[in-house]
Amino acid sequence: MGRSRLLVKSRFVRHGLPFITLIVGGSFLLKEYATLRYQFRKSEITSAKEIAEKTGIEAKEEPVTLEKIYDEMKKEDLDTWENIRGPRPWEDSKTVQDLQRGKASS
């Protein structure tokens, strides 16, 4: 009887053994969860064209390339722009917009 009482009072049995059980058991549960996740994952990847056909929306036939985007950016005038400050959290957006319109018209 004295030996079992010492076993119950030991720090390893009270704290270490549950901790090790949690770590080892958690790794096995995580492994099972990951295998289930990938087992039932949808294996097909639908393309934008297939989605457009299902929804009835016309899809663009020609792909967007970097060259096309660069050509569009060259057409825009980036030298003449004005930085417009948005309202602060404590300001009313209507009054800030009215002030900016007043500065623009004068």
Side-chain angles (χ1 to χ4, degrees), residues 12 15-27:
F12 175 74
H15 300 291
L17 199 59
F19 180 72
I20 290 172
T21 307
L22 180 72
I23 297 298
V24 172
S27 68

Side-chain angles (χ1 to χ4, degrees), residues 1-53:
M1 279 217 178
R3 195 167 193 160
S4 65
R5 187 174 292 175
L6 283 175
L7 191 63
V8 171
K9 285 187 176 183
S10 79
R11 292 180 92 192
F12 175 74
V13 172
R14 284 191 302 153
H15 300 291
L17 199 59
F19 180 72
I20 290 172
T21 307
L22 180 72
I23 297 298
V24 172
S27 68
F28 283 113
L29 286 175
L30 197 60
K31 177 184 170 256
E32 290 299 318
Y33 171 73
T35 56
L36 283 174
R37 178 181 169 201
Y38 290 116
Q39 181 180 0
F40 293 108
R41 179 180 261 183
K42 199 174 189 180
S43 61
E44 292 181 14
I45 298 176
T46 56
S47 66
K49 195 173 191 177
E50 292 173 359
I51 294 172
E53 289 173 359

